[in-house]
Amino acid sequence: MAKSNIVYQYFKKEDKDHTIFIQFDPTRLSGSKLIIESNGEMELEEMEFESDLPRQLNSEGFVVANPLEFHILINGLQ
């Protein structure tokens, strides 16, 4: 089994209607977008990103997120 050394970066943006998490692999420029609606519904989408994604997200109001929060939510452990 191949070993992976990916160190993801996580970002989060909240408003009254939903919370958006971005999981970003800066090496492969890929990752996931997790949207959690205010009613608890979740949508996960695999994505390809641009290399300047962290700067773009910062300008859109995203903040650095806790990886543990992302994984707790995505695995339904809350």
Side-chain angles (χ1 to χ4, degrees):
M1 176 181 264
K3 194 173 186 182
S4 174
N5 292 323
I6 298 171
V7 178
Y8 288 101
Q9 296 175 343
Y10 295 85
F11 302 92
K12 175 181 178 180
K13 182 177 180 181
E14 296 180 273
D15 64 30
K16 66 178 183 162
D17 298 324
H18 58 274
T19 301
I20 301 171
F21 284 90
I22 302 290
Q23 178 189 50
F24 175 56
D25 172 355
T27 303
R28 296 187 179 125
L29 302 178
S30 63
S32 303
K33 179 179 183 179
L34 174 64
I35 301 173
I36 303 172
E37 300 293 338
S38 58
N39 64 5
E41 290 185 35
M42 294 193 313
E43 177 183 336
L44 180 65
E45 180 181 356
E46 298 297 319
M47 302 188 71
E48 299 293 321
F49 299 109
E50 299 292 323
S51 61
D52 64 343
L53 179 72
R55 184 184 56 75
Q56 290 176 352
L57 292 175
N58 189 320
S59 70
E60 294 174 15
F62 281 80
V63 296
V64 173
N66 184 327
L68 184 57
E69 182 180 13
F70 176 89
H71 287 282
I72 286 173
L73 291 168
I74 203 163
N75 290 298
L77 300 174
Q78 62 174 350

